[in-house]
Amino acid sequence: MLLADVIGHPQAKRVLQNAMAEDKVVHAYLFHGPAGVGKTTLARAFAAALLCGQGVNDSCGKCSVCKRVAQDNFPDFILVSPSGNNIKIDQVRELQKGVQYKPYEAGKKVYLLNQAESMTTEAANCLLKILEDPPPDTIFLLTAVNQYNLLPTILSRCLSIPLSRVPLAQIEQMLLKNNLGDPTTAALTAALSDGLPGIARLMAESGDGLVARELVFDLVERLTTGKINELLKTAEELEKRKEILPDILEQLLLWYRDRLIWLQTMQESLIVNRDRLNQIKECSGIVSKEDLVRSVKVILEAKNQLNRNVNLRLILEVMLLRLAGTA
Ligand SMILES: [Zn+2]
């Protein structure tokens, strides 16, 4: 993909393109921002631009180098991703061996370390050694959700490229351009993606986002009535939808967010679930702002616990019982 074709991130693209045009590319970059924001997409487009050599500040997208970089099949482009949960020491040792060799075909070599924050301590220390004495003609591109999960000594050796959420209209356009849904679904998916093109794409491709959304509004109704038996049954049902549970919680959060925003601003344009505006207006005033804030916290807590290996059913039950009556 061309840098120019990556959606969003105008500032980051400008920094990268200026560096290429002015021959001021540094040896390590860290792309950081929320999951799905486009870190790897941008890093990969930058890698192609560095290796292609046909353009001043972008790749051509057509030559054999560009095509092979896109297919992970170019010897001077090395992608390192977590093996299991971590980037392990063996993977970085291999990289350490590799950097001693000159580029094969392009004038330089590019290493892309995906989810660099997943490096084990040993792996991180080994990478640090490499970055302290950077080999010539070698560029390291790291991605991380949270830059502060990396060793400060690694951070200080990378040029930071912060990426923030992409305007929803651009995500909607991207979905339509890629035939990922009709105009109505594309608009809704873009809104639900919360400015994260990768998430929008996943939701559009899997249809999970829309399934999760249906379930959320079903859940909201049950929470309104707040019958304990019903809620326990819901927890049991949700436990079975484990694969889309993160989506469900995300959308439940959006529901509470919308209601808080409405209570505070009364601005329709700020509401994500715009097709539910009547419902949002109707329940505004019934539940206090404090209760809504508390509910958001309850969901965030459940979200955090999901990431650890705690009893799933228990988390869901506690969450639903605490949310009862606030939906
Ligand atoms: Zn090219």
Side-chain angles (χ1 to χ4, degrees), residues 52 54 59-63 65-66:
C52 162
Q54 304 281 327
S59 59
C60 73
K62 292 178 194 137
C63 72
V65 178
C66 284

Side-chain angles (χ1 to χ4, degrees), residues 15 17 173 196 230 234 254 314-315:
V15 169
Q17 294 192 302
Q173 285 304 317
L196 303 169
E230 283 278 301
T234 308
L254 275 181
L314 191 65
I315 299 172

